[in-house]
Amino acid sequence: MERITRALLVMDGNYVRKWYSHLAEDGIEGNYYSINFGALVDYIGTVIEKDFGNRCAFVAKKLYMGTNSKVDVLNQDFYRALDVGGIQKNTFPLRTQDEKGRAALKEEACDTTIVFNTTKEFYLTARENRFDTLVLFAGDGDLTPLVEGLKSEGVKSIVVYYDFRSCFNTTRASQKLLESADKVINFGAFLVERVNKQVMSILEPLEKPLGSGVSTILYDSPTKNRTVVVKKRNTEFMMNSYRTPVCELYTKEELEKAVREIPRRDEEGWVLVALLGKYLESTTGKVLPMGTKLKDLLILYGNIFETKEVPAYSVRIRRQIK
């Protein structure tokens, strides 16, 4: 009788969405990619068959992520890629309150949802039909107890992760989670290994950044008002340098106040833009729309701020020349 490895694939949607956006919008050395999730799942099945010696059958392929209506609008390309890849999308509202009582997203609840639903699926399924391998697309160390708990029940685990750096922050998988797994797959290695046809099929090249429509700057005159139209993911945000920007973009007053008040800076007054973004979210309760970069706003107000690229993208109040 043929032995079959019954695998359950579970994705931390907020984590995987960051991969997708990074590859499709930020790009790698000027190249942009969309993820073929169907090809990726097939590849993982091949790895399981090679390493574990049995034919692989996925009992389910699920993604969990917290979202809201505004984020859903910006995630349509990501959702379509999941649907084509046969990934079951499970979204839920993550409305909560921050320390000041304002509405905010709380992504940590996604880990709790993954642990609860995965554990429930294992123990409520008849023993002969339970999954014996967990394929986990995640990087949060909070999921380590799930992996270790299932290991005590004889379940093998594969963690698929992707470490990358964007202009906002660095995404890195928990070493504790990686060490708890029976096998790890570094998604970033697919960007290097371009010979294997199966690997190449996972990353689909894009001719231009996803949802691109690079910022178009229209000047009414060299010295007067200017209007900036930023098109990202088919959504248009209009800003005016003498008015309060609309659609959740931060005003120049909010930006200047945050740069002046943020406590972590060097002796020359430079503030990491990644920290500035987090500080703005916590103090204003507003989140920059996905696909819109804080860098673009800072450049708009070049008469107020100066920026530098190295060693890390930073900003400070422009020093007045006497």
Side-chain angles (χ1 to χ4, degrees):
M1 183 177 179
E2 181 185 22
R3 298 194 61 179
I4 297 176
T5 296
R6 299 174 60 83
L8 172 67
L9 186 146
V10 176
M11 293 183 175
D12 178 341
N14 297 303
Y15 180 66
V16 177
R17 176 189 56 77
K18 291 177 183 178
W19 304 8
Y20 189 88
S21 298
H22 175 65
L23 293 169
E25 295 175 11
D26 299 332
I28 305 294
E29 298 180 348
N31 298 308
Y32 302 90
Y33 303 95
S34 178
I35 301 175
N36 184 326
F37 287 106
L40 178 55
V41 172
D42 289 343
Y43 172 82
I44 292 172
T46 301
V47 170
I48 291 174
E49 291 176 357
K50 179 181 178 181
D51 287 10
F52 298 165
N54 302 325
R55 184 170 66 85
C56 176
F58 286 96
V59 298
K61 294 167 283 187
K62 300 182 178 182
L63 173 140
Y64 296 95
M65 69 180 294
T67 185
N68 60 20
S69 58
K70 291 182 180 179
V71 174
D72 279 340
V73 171
L74 299 172
N75 274 344
Q76 291 306 304
D77 296 296
F78 177 53
Y79 291 163
R80 280 192 289 271
L82 293 171
D83 290 340
V84 172
I87 309 297
Q88 178 187 335
K89 176 168 57 65
N90 300 274
T91 61
F92 50 91
L94 285 177
R95 303 306 300 180
T96 184
Q97 291 186 334
D98 62 16
E99 64 278 4
K100 295 186 179 180
R102 296 173 298 209
L105 281 176
K106 185 174 177 60
E107 291 192 7
E108 290 84 352
C110 189
D111 297 335
T112 304
T113 303
I114 289 174
V115 172
F116 176 79
N117 284 279
T118 303
T119 303
K120 183 176 71 172
E121 177 157 351
F122 180 79
Y123 286 106
L124 293 185
T125 301
R127 185 173 295 274
E128 63 274 12
N129 294 324
R130 289 175 179 172
F131 62 87
D132 52 46
T133 300
L134 174 66
V135 179
L136 186 62
F137 283 64
D140 199 316
D142 289 344
L143 294 171
T144 304
L146 171 65
V147 172
E148 293 180 342
L150 289 174
K151 183 180 294 186
S152 67
E153 296 285 354
V155 176
K156 294 182 178 180
S157 62
I158 297 175
V159 172
V160 186
Y161 72 101
Y162 181 29
D163 290 341
F164 64 90
R165 183 175 182 179
S166 69
C167 64
F168 282 98
N169 53 35
T170 298
T171 297
R172 188 176 297 279
S174 162
Q175 189 63 31
K176 185 177 180 181
L177 176 64
L178 299 181
E179 290 174 355
S180 69
D182 294 288
K183 184 178 181 64
V184 297
I185 295 177
N186 180 1
F187 185 84
F190 298 155
L191 295 164
V192 179
E193 186 181 348
R194 310 297 292 166
V195 178
N196 186 310
K197 290 183 178 180
Q198 188 177 30
V199 171
M200 290 179 66
S201 68
I202 296 171
L203 294 165
E204 299 178 338
L206 299 173
E207 293 183 0
K208 57 183 179 180
L210 183 65
S212 64
V214 178
S215 305
T216 303
I217 302 179
L218 306 173
Y219 292 88
D220 295 328
S221 75
T223 58
K224 293 184 180 180
N225 206 8
R226 70 176 180 176
T227 301
V228 179
V229 180
V230 183
K231 292 183 178 180
K232 289 286 187 178
R233 288 172 140 344
N234 301 319
T235 303
E236 185 175 279
F237 308 106
M238 297 190 66
M239 307 185 308
N240 185 291
S241 60
Y242 292 111
R243 300 199 300 267
T244 300
V246 298
C247 197
E248 295 191 320
L249 297 177
Y250 303 115
T251 66
K252 71 177 180 182
E253 290 78 16
E254 288 172 328
L255 287 168
E256 185 173 6
K257 184 174 184 289
V259 173
R260 290 187 186 280
E261 292 182 350
I262 192 169
R264 294 180 61 182
R265 63 181 67 244
D266 65 17
E267 62 277 5
E268 295 183 348
W270 291 105
V271 175
L272 291 175
V273 172
L275 292 178
L276 177 63
K278 294 180 180 179
Y279 185 81
L280 281 164
E281 289 184 16
S282 66
T283 56
T284 68
K286 296 190 294 184
V287 179
L288 199 67
M290 195 170 87
T292 305
K293 295 182 179 180
L294 194 56
K295 177 179 180 179
D296 297 331
L297 292 179
L298 296 171
I299 292 174
L300 275 179
Y301 304 122
N303 61 321
I304 300 174
F305 308 109
E306 57 180 325
T307 60
K308 66 176 182 178
E309 298 283 348
V310 293
Y313 191 64
S314 306
V315 61
R316 70 180 178 184
I317 302 296
R318 183 171 291 281
R319 296 182 175 182
Q320 300 299 320
I321 300 177
K322 297 182 180 181

